[in-house]
Amino acid sequence: MDSTRVTEHSTSSYERPQPGVDPAEARGALLRSPKPLGATALPAQARAGETPPGPHQTTPCRQGKEPEVNGPEHAQPDTAEPDTPRPRPAPEGIPPQPGAEQDRAPGGPERRTGRGLPRGRPMPMRRDGDRLRFVGAATRRIARGIDLDEIVMGLCRATVPTFSDAILVYLRDPLPVGDERPTGPVVLRLRRTDRIPEDRDTEGGFLPPPAPESESSELAALAELSAVTAELCEVRPGGALNEVLRGVRPVFADVPAARDALPELLGEGGEAVVPDGQHAILAPLRGRRRVIGAALFLRRPERPAFEADDLLVAAQLATHSALGIDKAVLYGREAYIADELQRTMLPETLPRPTGVRLASRYLPAAETARVGGDWYDAIPLPGSRVALVVGDVMGHSMTSAAIMGQLRTTAQTLAGLDLPPQEVLHHLDEQAQRLGTDRMATCLYAVYDPVTHRITIANAGHPPPVLLHLGGRAEVLRVPPGAPIGVGGVDFEAVELDAPAGATLLLYTDGLVESRLRDVWTGIEQLREKLAATAQLTGPDHPPPLEALCDEVLDMLGPGDRDDDIALLAARFDGIAPSDVAYWTLEPEDAAPGRARRLARRALDRWGMEELSDSVELLVSEVVTNAVRYASRPVTLRLLRTDVLRCEVGDDVPQLPRLRQARATDEGGRGLYLVNKMTRRWGATRLSTGKVVWFELNRG
């Protein structure tokens, strides 16, 4: 009865939290838990006639390097083991207790295997409370990992050296994802090896002294376990390793099934790493649906062997690690799909329209979802114009990315119809309402004409663009804000502004100028100042390079400014000089093709491009003839001299011409065939008032 009271009192004292100690610390839990006083065997001091230390007596400690498992480790009272002549190793930074070296066996028979394991200090966990605390702390550390490498590293760091001296983790290559059924043979790859370094804390006083010279040379040859073990292992159907993995439960290395499986797993060189007896545990890693790998826990032969309860610990570690790896693989696949979905919905490359240079950037959110609804686009239009678009769908999800893709496709289709910017936003608003009542987005749509040096802008609730002039002045354009797309029942307004040559227009989403640390207008002002400061570096006569300008703009982002994804589109307006443009209006009559040939020849003579006269006359005659045949209003003819020679013929007929192969008996149908063969490229674009057929020729 008295013994029972003493035992209960000891257990209560054992469970009481101690000041300054983290009860979740894995290694600390192993080192601070004294043995209940109700043990059947007496401590060694009592058998020798000495008085054993009390449960609350402490020994002096000194500061030293502290290991890391789940946080800083605190020094705890040390007590002698009651049922073994070998004392329990003290934590790092605490000197060994008196008599510890005398209790250690002076020597032993020479080992034939296991010499490749480094010296360490696996903790012999002989109480259920110790094991429960260790498993709790270790699984929490494993669960902190998000990706595959973090989870495997968490398993290694949580078990070495607290549970084992070394660990080898093998995973399937490739790892199956979800319900996928891998084809071909099952292959395991050595993913990570962890061990106690040979020279770790040798001056701390609690580790064994360095190995003899004869043994040190052998250990030096095995400096890394991965150097003596096979990196790849094919699991043969019906083989010993396959049977162990199918069994799912951890086994000691000395059982017959494991003895046959280890050479298959480790290879011939790695078999010598495994010590004799129960100093190694082979634990299969089973995920949600299948075995995805194996972990091998190793202890040096002079250390206490694993016990039967340690198999349960290994099973818990293997289960939590495998489930974490399974989730990490699924998360990685979903993140990859989301990232690819986002980027494939953005332009792969930007066009190179006449009279304007473009650059862009896209950054996913750093702390929120990897996907979002930000997008940008540049769409060539008839007449050498270009549409510049930037938008932001509200929300951060796969749904937002999908809606963004639909709105971007709609904007491209509407741009192909050459609608005014306000009409494009009106139709985008109708499309968003068809997608759902809560599908809202902001958008800014601008059309730049390099011939007139003008830009027309319409806004739907988006942050205003910033125009950087050639002299270095940055200006926030005054554009009517409008309502976001998806509100419905609102009217959008467009404004036409000057776009001088050498100026740079910057379109962006709110993720660049708005965050938790600043409001949107503060961010816009910082952006304007950043652009002006960057322009001063290159001088008033030279605008900053576009790519470098985009990088400088993104450098204004601080650590807390990546709450949202960011889309950025920069356009440098070069324009087309009036002297490089020739424009005429032709009446739809039979004499129009001849007049077009004469006008084209005069323009080429004026530009010094006489070598192209014959080709241009032939092609202009064919295109103008087709336009005059069906047009009811005047036909327009325009020649543009840039890096290429571009010819544009417009009429009021909306039907687009088609290239076809004329038969030998046909009187027509060969005009576009000649255009296709003789030009650099050509095309036809439908307008709200008709169409434009254009072609380009290289300049000499």
Side-chain angles (χ1 to χ4, degrees):
M1 188 67 178
D2 294 339
S3 175
T4 304
R5 292 195 191 98
V6 171
T7 303
E8 293 175 353
H9 175 74
S10 175
T11 304
S12 175
S13 174
Y14 165 73
E15 298 290 345
R16 184 180 300 115
Q18 301 180 18
V21 176
D22 183 6
E25 171 58 34
R27 279 181 268 187
L30 304 176
L31 303 176
R32 63 171 172 266
S33 303
K35 188 77 174 181
L37 298 181
T40 56
L42 294 177
Q45 293 90 336
R47 291 196 300 269
E50 300 177 0
T51 302
H56 301 291
Q57 293 179 358
T58 61
T59 57
C61 62
R62 61 180 178 86
Q63 294 180 352
K65 183 179 179 181
E66 298 180 354
E68 297 182 0
V69 171
N70 221 13
E73 186 170 329
H74 301 272
Q76 293 298 318
D78 191 17
T79 58
E81 287 287 3
D83 54 354
T84 177
R86 183 181 295 118
R88 181 173 49 179
E92 297 178 8
I94 298 181
Q97 298 299 314
E101 293 296 333
Q102 290 80 352
D103 290 339
R104 183 181 293 111
E110 183 179 357
R111 303 184 306 276
R112 293 186 300 272
T113 60
R115 293 185 181 180
L117 290 179
R119 294 182 179 273
R121 55 178 189 92
M123 295 293 102
M125 295 177 292
R126 303 188 178 186
R127 288 170 296 277
D128 293 340
D130 291 340
R131 291 189 173 90
L132 289 176
R133 286 174 173 80
F134 166 72
V135 170
T139 52
R140 284 193 296 273
R141 177 160 194 163
I142 295 170
R144 285 202 300 263
I146 297 179
D147 59 20
L148 179 62
D149 292 332
E150 290 179 350
I151 294 173
V152 175
M153 181 183 295
L155 171 64
C156 296
R157 296 290 174 83
T159 56
V160 178
T162 308
F163 183 69
S164 62
D165 285 323
I167 182 175
L168 289 86
V169 181
Y170 285 83
L171 296 178
R172 293 181 66 162
D173 186 28
L175 279 166
V177 181
D179 296 328
E180 290 182 355
R181 290 190 173 274
T183 59
V186 177
V187 177
L188 300 183
R189 178 183 291 274
L190 181 61
R191 186 76 184 193
R192 186 176 178 87
T193 301
D194 207 356
R195 66 185 189 97
I196 305 175
E198 287 300 320
D199 56 350
R200 177 172 177 174
D201 294 331
T202 55
E203 298 179 359
F206 68 92
L207 288 177
E213 183 177 356
S214 60
E215 187 175 353
S216 297
S217 60
E218 181 179 354
L219 292 175
L222 304 178
E224 292 291 342
L225 296 177
S226 57
V228 295
T229 56
E231 183 180 0
L232 290 176
C233 163
E234 181 177 341
V235 182
R236 298 187 298 270
L241 179 59
N242 183 63
E243 294 301 321
V244 172
L245 296 180
R246 288 180 58 188
V248 178
R249 296 183 178 181
V251 295
F252 290 120
D254 60 347
V255 302
R259 280 200 303 267
D260 297 336
L262 286 176
E264 184 179 348
L265 177 66
L266 304 177
E268 297 179 358
E271 186 180 0
V273 178
V274 182
D276 292 332
Q278 295 182 357
H279 285 80
I281 293 178
L282 178 59
L285 302 177
R286 177 176 175 81
R288 297 173 59 215
R289 292 176 176 83
R290 61 183 67 83
V291 174
I292 60 174
L296 182 63
F297 304 93
L298 302 174
R299 286 184 183 175
R300 292 178 60 84
E302 66 268 19
R303 305 303 184 193
F306 288 111
E307 300 178 358
D309 289 343
D310 292 328
L311 292 177
L312 301 178
V313 175
Q316 288 290 330
L317 297 176
T319 299
H320 282 275
S321 300
L323 292 177
I325 291 171
D326 242 4
K327 293 179 180 179
V329 173
L330 287 173
Y331 172 80
R333 174 63 63 87
E334 291 179 359
Y336 170 78
I337 293 174
D339 188 63
E340 286 297 308
L341 173 65
Q342 176 80 21
R343 295 193 178 276
T344 52
M345 288 185 177
L346 296 174
E348 183 176 357
T349 58
L350 291 175
R352 303 179 63 182
T354 303
V356 62
R357 286 174 286 171
L358 303 172
S360 64
R361 294 290 187 274
Y362 175 79
L363 293 179
E367 298 179 0
T368 56
R370 293 175 58 92
V371 293
D374 292 12
W375 91 90
Y376 62 89
D377 211 344
I379 309 167
L381 299 178
S384 300
R385 296 171 301 152
V386 59
L388 307 174
V389 191
V390 64
D392 182 5
V393 177
M394 297 182 182
H396 301 88
S397 63
M398 299 284 286
T399 303
S400 300
I403 295 174
M404 178 268 287
Q406 297 182 59
L407 293 180
R408 177 174 176 248
T409 302
T410 303
Q412 289 179 329
T413 304
L414 295 172
L417 299 177
D418 197 27
L419 298 178
Q422 64 272 22
E423 290 296 324
V424 172
L425 294 183
H426 175 73
H427 289 292
L428 283 176
D429 180 62
E430 292 180 340
Q431 175 68 9
Q433 294 180 63
R434 285 191 290 266
L435 295 176
T437 56
D438 57 345
R439 308 308 188 197
M440 299 182 64
T442 63
C443 182
L444 192 144
Y445 189 93
V447 176
Y448 170 66
D449 190 340
V451 177
T452 61
H453 297 267
R454 303 282 288 178
I455 185 169
T456 306
I457 306 175
N459 191 5
H462 202 79
V466 180
L467 184 65
L468 178 62
H469 293 269
L470 184 59
R473 181 174 62 92
E475 174 189 6
V476 179
L477 298 182
R478 296 185 177 181
V479 180
I485 291 173
V487 173
V490 296
D491 190 20
F492 299 99
E493 183 181 354
V495 294
E496 188 174 351
L497 305 171
D498 289 330
T504 304
L505 183 69
L506 198 71
L507 308 180
Y508 53 91
T509 56
D510 58 355
L512 179 65
V513 295
E514 184 180 20
S515 68
R516 294 170 294 176
L517 306 179
R518 60 183 178 184
D519 61 85
V520 61
W521 288 109
T522 301
I524 292 175
E525 180 61 23
Q526 292 178 359
L527 173 61
R528 190 192 64 80
E529 295 175 354
K530 183 69 173 180
L531 291 174
T534 304
Q536 292 178 359
L537 299 177
T538 56
D541 299 330
H542 302 280
L546 272 184
E547 298 293 339
L549 181 64
C550 292
D551 294 335
E552 288 293 329
V553 168
L554 295 181
D555 285 342
M556 65 177 283
L557 297 173
D561 295 340
R562 290 288 302 281
D563 303 327
D564 196 0
D565 51 340
I566 299 171
L568 178 66
L569 179 63
R572 173 72 44 77
F573 299 143
D574 294 332
I576 301 177
S579 59
D580 294 329
V581 180
Y583 181 84
W584 305 278
T585 300
L586 306 175
E587 292 296 330
E589 55 188 14
D590 295 341
R595 184 166 180 260
R597 290 194 297 268
R598 292 191 299 272
L599 294 174
R601 177 176 289 274
R602 293 174 186 172
L604 294 178
D605 292 342
R606 186 172 65 250
W607 290 337
M609 304 172 64
E610 296 85 354
E611 68 278 2
L612 297 179
S613 295
D614 294 338
S615 300
V616 172
E617 284 189 45
L618 175 60
L619 297 175
V620 166
S621 179
E622 293 291 339
V623 177
V624 171
T625 298
N626 290 337
V628 170
R629 179 177 299 177
Y630 304 102
S632 58
R633 295 181 180 179
V635 175
T636 61
L637 172 63
R638 186 165 71 168
L639 294 180
L640 302 173
R641 182 183 63 169
T642 57
D643 54 340
V644 297
L645 178 66
R646 181 183 177 98
C647 176
E648 300 174 351
V649 177
D651 58 60
D652 62 345
V653 181
Q655 286 79 15
L656 298 181
R658 293 184 296 108
L659 179 65
R660 62 187 181 90
Q661 187 71 35
R663 294 174 296 184
T665 57
D666 291 341
E667 295 183 359
R670 296 176 177 84
L672 288 182
Y673 179 79
L674 293 175
V675 173
N676 184 61
K677 287 296 184 180
M678 299 178 61
T679 61
R680 176 175 176 264
R681 60 179 187 142
W682 72 279
T685 306
R686 183 179 285 111
L687 304 178
S688 57
T689 58
K691 69 174 181 296
V692 168
V693 179
W694 56 269
F695 62 84
E696 293 178 353
L697 293 172
N698 293 322
R699 294 179 53 181

